[in-house]
Amino acid sequence: MPDFWQFPTVSMGLGPIMAIYQARFLKYLHARGITDTAERKVWAFCGDGEMDEPESMGAIGMASREKLDNLVMVVNCNLQRLDGPVRGNGKIIQELESDFRGAGWNVIKVIWGGYWDPLLAMDHDGILKKVMMDTVDGEYQNYKANDGAYVRKHFFGKHPKLLQRVATMSDDDIWRLNRGGHDPHKIYSAFSAASRHKGQPTVILVKTIKGFGMGKVAEGRNTAHQTKKLDDTAIKEFRDRFGIPISDEQLASVPFLKPSDDSPEMKYMQERRKALGGYLPSRRVKAEESLVVPSLDVFAPVLEPTAEGREISTTQAYVRCLTQLLRDKSLGPRVVPILVDEARTFGMEGLFRQIGIYSVEGQKYEPVDRDQVMYYREDIKGQILQEGINEAGGMSSWIAAATSYSTNNRIMIPFYIYYSMFGLQRVGDLAWAAGDMRARGFLLGGTAGRTTLNGEGLQHEDGHSQILASAIPNCVSYDPTFGHEVAVILHSGLKRMVEHQEDVFFYLTLMNENYEHPGLVKGTEDQILKGMYLLKSVGEKKAKQRVQLMGSGTILREVIAAADLLAADFGIASDIWSCPSFNELRREGLDAQRYSLLHPTKKPRMAFVTQQLQGHDGPVVAATDYMKTFADQIRPFIPEGRRYTVLGTDGFGRSDTRAKLREFFEVDRRYVAIAALYSLMQDGALDAKAVEAAIKKYGINTERSNPAMVL
């Protein structure tokens, strides 16, 4: 029995692109000393309709470029999508062969079954082959939706010599002429050849029939996918076609047929189940190895306040944390930095020389920047996965590393950083697949927020990725403002995913805006992770009016500035809350609600938001660089009777300075202050004329268009 039957790693239902990157990741692990991955193959099974996906076709060039001879892709060419032919007027197999060969793959075609062999052997003049080539897929679908007489007339009838060759064949004989995908001998030969091929990835293009065996009800018909039940006639036809030993009397009950335990079929299947490790498909829930995450102090450089006059961004804070982690002897080799041609954008080019960029061929040239400290360095043992401008590829590499604990029994720690606007929005289906696969790792949306990356307009201005992240149940998402928050969150992720092997993944949004950072106040770590902590209070303790100001990301700094305005101009005190995760606050609040609902005789559980705000008087105002929906999620958990006002960046992004963008979206310090004053007015603590005077003082144009409606 050849090896390909014994140790396949099968990727099904995730699309060809995932299989390609899983195969590449095995090569990556082998290059880094994980030798048990050397001979493993990834077997990917998909349909010809799936190959319509541009991501799938776009990835095949990488497979040959990376010499992924550990990859075998089997494309089931039944010629149909859900609704109809894939290429009714053409030939999908020929098209795919041309694409794969052009991309450098080894191509094996399994088109015709063994019953065709005698006819092909006598085709010395090439007439049969020509007719086969001239017949389009829509016709081939028709042949199998009818009968032998139809095939005789419409296929062999295309040339008088072909009709003559099948003259002695009955209509049943003609109908029995099979497609390669339904001939086990042909399939076995193709799989065996693919398993032995070296130096290239292999694709097996297998011609089959949609709805094979379902008879006139669905075989070869556009409705095959929607047919859920066979009638008695179709069941009888199925029984007769495949020679199933069930009597007419038994047929109505559609009984199961199980061969005897000593039959060749059962013996074979029992042997194969043992070779595959058991009788039920299973996934490794936890890696068998144990890793210990160092204390939070490993990120000490980011936990301290920035030096006076020194400003950094949260992206720089992340890079410092990553650099510290790479130095750890235990965890450093497990880190997989993933980039899509943006290392210099995120200040990560120093890693090129430090750990190198993985390349199956090393570096055959001297880089143009070789004389610089941070030159571009490719290496067979490189640690960075540099995907080029390819978000789907970056996400696929991340999933391969993030599920390595299960597929390879090897815990890896992937960090995939990208422009936030290009992440969950562009590859949201892969993010959902990652959640479904129990992926563990870090996704980092750089230059996040609607107003942070000024000057590049809509395509770079993200005001909704946090909302998209909130929809994935096991995605733990944060929008930190300060370096110490980034460090605490990353450390928590490492503890949960690496040490405790929890099935979660983390999403952090980062900014490229530089400012001073206050450093960690001991004791706030748990509150940071829950999503909300008291950063500081501004104004007199005994002030007549007090408001609660909340914010996250870069707009928290506008909130802080608004507190200073309120204190200086109106004598109003503020408590400022940093809220690194409105998403986590909502989840915890919903969990508290559920507990109270299901335990009516017990004391209701109080949401964390409610706990934090109790004892802090005044209306609550929240402002973020995201749509209002983001901060509005926690409205049900604001203490009863307290007013809650949300500012956000609904609408299209645009090009301008940060200050102008924040003014446009009405989230700058002036609007935060006005929202606080208006809330106090609504509570009866302030006169309306005072709010009107503040609007005039801050130069706010009350007649301008609603930014959410401006196109």
Side-chain angles (χ1 to χ4, degrees), residues 27 88 92 143 162 182 190 193 210 227 260 289 299 319 374 391-392 398 414 529 535 555 560 577 585 591 675:
K27 294 274 191 180
I92 187 61
Y143 298 151
L162 289 187
H182 301 298
K210 192 82 159 188
T227 302
S260 62
E289 58 181 348
F299 298 138
V319 173
M374 295 179 285
E391 283 80 21
W398 182 84
L529 297 173
L535 183 66
I555 298 301
I560 295 170
W577 300 86
L585 289 174
D591 191 51

Side-chain angles (χ1 to χ4, degrees), residues 71-92:
L71 172 66
V72 179
M73 187 180 295
V74 182
V75 183
N76 174 28
C77 299
N78 56 36
L79 314 184
Q80 288 182 242
R81 301 191 189 99
L82 296 183
D83 290 337
V86 177
R87 297 288 186 272
N89 295 313
K91 301 174 79 66
I92 187 61

Side-chain angles (χ1 to χ4, degrees), residues 29 161 171 261 411 445 560 590:
L29 288 178
K161 286 189 177 180
D171 289 345
D261 290 342
I411 297 172
I560 295 170
L590 291 176

Side-chain angles (χ1 to χ4, degrees), residues 474-521:
N474 51 348
C475 175
V476 184
S477 54
Y478 292 92
D479 183 39
T481 304
F482 300 116
H484 68 271
E485 296 173 357
V486 173
V488 169
I489 293 163
L490 291 179
H491 186 260
S492 171
L494 291 169
K495 293 287 283 189
R496 293 180 65 178
M497 295 184 290
V498 175
E499 191 168 310
H500 304 312
Q501 295 203 51
E502 288 185 45
D503 291 335
V504 295
F505 67 92
F506 276 54
Y507 174 60
L508 283 75
T509 39
L510 304 173
M511 278 71 70
N512 67 343
E513 189 169 348
N514 295 326
Y515 44 81
E516 295 180 357
H517 294 243
L520 176 68
V521 175

Side-chain angles (χ1 to χ4, degrees), residues 396-440:
S396 296
S397 281
W398 182 84
I399 292 174
T403 56
S404 179
Y405 73 91
S406 180
T407 56
N408 305 312
N409 200 24
R410 176 83 174 179
I411 297 172
M412 303 300 286
I413 313 170
F415 290 84
Y416 173 29
I417 185 169
Y418 50 81
Y419 277 136
S420 62
M421 188 69 164
F422 298 169
L424 294 174
Q425 174 174 289
R426 288 194 179 181
V427 292
D429 54 343
L430 285 172
W432 271 94
D436 190 40
M437 295 170 70
R438 309 299 196 266
R440 302 171 187 164

Side-chain angles (χ1 to χ4, degrees), residues 248-261:
D248 287 347
E249 292 74 20
Q250 296 174 295
L251 202 58
S253 63
V254 195
F256 285 105
L257 175 67
K258 181 183 177 183
S260 62
D261 290 342

